[in-house]
Amino acid sequence: MTTDQAKPRNQSSSLRRALAVLDHVRDHAGARGVSLTRIADDLDVSKSTVLRLAQPLIDGDLLARDRETGWFRLGHGALRLGQAYLSTLDMRSVAADPLRRLQHLAGETCHLVVYEAPDVVYIDKVENEHNVRMASRVGLRMPAYRTAVGKAVLAWLGEDDLQRVVAAGMPARTERTIIDPARLAAELERVRLTGYAVDDRENEPEVRCVAAPIFDHTDRPVGALSVSGLTSRMTPARVREVGPMVERAGLEISRVLGSSRPFRRRPDRPRHDTSRHDPQEGNQP
């Protein structure tokens, strides 16, 4: 009985070690692959152990080994698994828990959108606990240039995508709406630097919104999520607090969608540092 009980544990240990080999090849194999020696050295195991663990993965087409060099790379079975995984993903389902956690942390209304040029389309919404509710609704379509979620997506798209938005027109919604393409381009540069976008009363007169992009498995932005609130609660200082929360939630969802974009380390700022100004001062009309 003791032997029978130990067998599953040994098999489980071997499986974990084989998966470690697979992960190492995934992370380190370039165009040529990765050598047996490097895998053994990095995982601190013998070459014979690597070969033993890799053989079932090769048999299952998850790994492939070059006949001439002996180097390893991912096999076409890994691609099939990835495609099967991606085919089951639905952004709304994937984002549901992170969106609700974000709403709990921020205490304001949270939105989820997909990008359909030149607009964003709202596909989910988690309301705040305040009496005043946002006018947004699931299914609503909004021009990307005047929303935080839209700017969060546009910041990581190419120039052609931006020009398509500009060509669709940029009429003012409020007195603070950015209607100059050059100013919009400058704003998108700021978004890339901070990691999140801000709509400072550009779409609704008394509402500030903070948004971050969601990337797919090709690291292309396909949507965004946001936190929105009345300016009385979403002050510039609160925007700077919420921004990193939204960015992290967006990257969390992106990871599930297959994105490889890393989480960014943010330097700690002294509490007495008052050098940073209102992030939206440059949006004055």
Side-chain angles (χ1 to χ4, degrees):
M1 179 177 290
T2 302
T3 302
D4 292 340
Q5 290 175 343
K7 189 174 180 181
R9 289 198 295 271
N10 290 336
Q11 288 177 338
S12 176
S13 175
S14 295
L15 176 59
R16 287 195 297 270
R17 296 170 76 190
L19 291 175
V21 172
L22 184 64
D23 287 346
H24 188 280
V25 175
R26 178 200 64 198
D27 294 339
H28 298 90
R32 294 179 58 197
V34 60
S35 69
L36 173 62
T37 300
R38 180 174 180 184
I39 297 173
D41 290 346
D42 288 354
L43 297 182
D44 196 22
V45 296
S46 67
K47 293 181 180 178
S48 61
T49 297
V50 173
L51 291 173
R52 176 175 59 81
L53 294 172
Q55 191 56 54
L57 300 174
I58 294 173
D59 293 341
D61 296 323
L62 296 175
L63 284 183
R65 193 178 187 198
D66 189 283
R67 292 184 179 182
E68 295 183 2
T69 66
W71 286 30
F72 293 87
R73 66 180 187 279
L74 291 181
H76 60 81
L79 175 61
R80 292 200 306 270
L81 278 179
Q83 290 173 331
Y85 170 71
L86 292 172
S87 69
T88 65
L89 292 181
D90 170 73
M91 187 188 296
R92 193 170 185 270
S93 299
V94 169
D97 287 342
L99 196 68
R100 279 149 185 76
R101 286 196 297 270
L102 180 61
Q103 195 283 323
H104 179 74
L105 282 173
E108 300 289 350
T109 297
C110 292
H111 297 99
L112 177 70
V113 308
V114 292
Y115 182 64
E116 293 185 3
D119 303 323
V120 291
V121 179
Y122 290 77
I123 62 172
D124 204 357
K125 177 182 181 180
V126 184
E127 287 279 12
N128 62 37
E129 298 175 356
H130 305 289
N131 291 328
V132 179
R133 302 299 177 95
M134 299 294 103
S136 57
R137 66 180 187 279
V138 173
L140 181 68
R141 181 180 292 268
M142 207 63 86
Y145 73 94
R146 70 176 192 233
T147 63
V149 282
K151 289 189 286 185
V153 173
L154 290 175
W156 276 271
L157 288 177
E159 181 64 24
D160 289 345
D161 297 280
L162 176 57
Q163 291 307 316
R164 183 176 179 182
V165 169
V166 171
M170 298 174 58
R173 170 82 171 188
T174 74
E175 63 179 12
R176 297 182 65 88
T177 304
I178 297 176
I179 59 175
D180 176 24
R183 284 185 58 200
L184 177 60
E187 175 75 358
L188 298 182
E189 176 62 25
R190 188 198 66 81
V191 174
R192 287 188 288 272
L193 291 173
T194 62
Y196 59 88
V198 179
D199 155 17
D200 185 8
R201 296 163 285 177
E202 298 161 48
N203 196 53
E204 296 183 52
E206 299 300 326
V207 174
R208 282 196 182 98
C209 182
V210 188
I214 295 172
F215 301 92
D216 67 7
H217 65 286
T218 67
D219 286 339
R220 179 179 173 84
V222 291
L225 75 167
S226 67
V227 173
S228 301
L230 294 178
T231 54
S232 58
R233 297 190 302 268
M234 287 291 286
T235 62
R238 183 58 176 159
V239 164
R240 292 192 290 270
E241 293 173 354
V242 170
M245 299 181 198
V246 184
E247 181 189 10
R248 188 166 187 86
L251 288 174
E252 180 184 348
I253 297 168
S254 300
R255 285 289 182 87
V256 180
L257 293 177
S259 171
S260 59
R261 293 185 69 88
F263 291 97
R264 299 194 304 171
R265 291 179 60 88
R266 292 180 176 274
D268 294 329
R269 292 197 302 118
R271 292 189 177 184
H272 63 271
D273 179 7
T274 58
S275 60
R276 288 191 62 177
H277 56 74
D278 182 336
Q280 296 301 301
E281 278 182 352
N283 280 353
Q284 295 290 346

